[in-house]
Amino acid sequence: DTAYGSIDSYPLIAPVENYIINGAGEENNTNETTPKESKPDLSIENIQLPNVMVVNQTYTINITVKNSGSAISNAPIQVSITNLGTMDVLYNKTQYLNLDTNEEKIISIAFTPTESGPIFIKAVADYENIIDEVNESNNEKAEEGYAEIPKPDLTITQLTTEDLYYQTNGTITVKIKNIGYKDITEPFNLTLNISGKIATETINSLS
């Protein structure tokens, strides 16, 4: 009590509870995952060609290309064929191949060797390395074959006889075919062994 009456005591500042106010200055603790970029993955799976080819004959070479990635690709495929003996380039062409995800296609090329010797065939997908891929190390494949000069190849396709009698003339029919890639222009002999007796017939030429 004072001369002016009684005075009650009040706290000047009320207790303040601890509150957390979400504001712009707080960090966002949410973890966000960046989506993985879709990319193609080109590879040369197989090159199919004859082991032996003949000069000036036409063959089909099949090349299997696959896209194992998760994006579509329109890829340039380069195919080159070189004679390893002379190092002459016998074939060199590029074509574009549209491949969907997990799709493979076959490129078929017609090839006519003009020189004999070992043949080196190489196929490269995205040979200029323009396309961003999952794996850049599987874009090429190579195989070897051989081209030989044309040769004749004789085979007996028929051998028939009539009923043959002792000391009587009979007929023996022999058919010969040239299944090779070169005509025979010089005479050659056909020899028959008939019960130990040798008969020879000269054939002048055979295509």
Side-chain angles (χ1 to χ4, degrees):
D1 293 336
T2 66
Y4 301 98
S6 61
I7 298 176
D8 295 331
S9 297
Y10 295 96
L12 297 178
I13 300 176
V16 179
E17 298 286 345
N18 292 326
Y19 294 101
I20 298 176
I21 302 175
N22 292 327
E26 293 191 5
E27 295 184 358
N28 189 350
N29 295 326
T30 303
N31 292 326
E32 295 184 358
T33 302
T34 303
K36 188 176 181 180
E37 183 182 358
S38 295
K39 296 181 181 181
D41 186 9
L42 303 171
S43 60
I44 305 296
E45 295 291 298
N46 185 45
I47 300 177
Q48 185 181 32
L49 72 156
N51 291 330
V52 178
M53 293 173 278
V54 177
V55 171
N56 296 327
Q57 301 298 314
T58 301
Y59 300 88
T60 298
I61 298 175
N62 294 320
I63 300 168
T64 304
V65 186
K66 185 175 182 179
N67 177 16
S68 301
S70 56
I72 298 174
S73 176
N74 187 24
I77 312 298
Q78 182 192 52
V79 179
S80 62
I81 303 176
T82 305
N83 185 319
L84 291 180
T86 61
M87 297 309 296
D88 291 336
V89 177
L90 308 179
Y91 183 97
N92 189 10
K93 290 185 179 180
T94 300
Q95 70 179 79
Y96 280 80
L97 197 61
N98 192 32
L99 289 168
D100 206 340
T101 58
N102 202 32
E103 181 184 20
E104 67 178 31
K105 290 182 179 179
I106 294 177
I107 297 174
S108 295
I109 64 172
F111 172 63
T112 304
T114 56
E115 303 174 354
S116 63
I119 300 296
F120 181 77
I121 300 177
K122 182 180 180 181
V124 183
D126 186 27
Y127 68 99
E128 292 182 337
N129 201 25
I130 298 173
I131 300 172
D132 185 18
E133 300 181 56
V134 176
N135 183 2
E136 301 285 355
S137 64
N138 58 353
N139 286 12
E140 66 179 66
K141 192 175 183 67
E143 294 289 346
E144 289 190 23
Y146 192 85
E148 64 180 15
I149 59 174
K151 298 176 183 178
D153 187 3
L154 298 176
T155 183
I156 305 295
T157 60
Q158 182 180 348
L159 177 59
T160 58
T161 62
E162 317 178 321
D163 292 336
L164 300 178
Y165 300 96
Y166 180 68
Q167 293 185 342
T168 303
N169 291 331
T171 301
I172 298 175
T173 302
V174 180
K175 287 187 177 181
I176 306 173
K177 186 176 182 179
N178 181 8
I179 60 174
Y181 294 98
K182 184 178 181 181
D183 296 342
I184 298 176
T185 57
E186 298 179 356
F188 65 95
N189 291 331
L190 171 65
T191 301
L192 295 175
N193 187 331
I194 307 170
S195 299
K197 293 185 178 181
I198 304 300
T200 301
E201 182 75 20
T202 299
I203 299 173
N204 292 322
S205 62
L206 190 62
S207 298

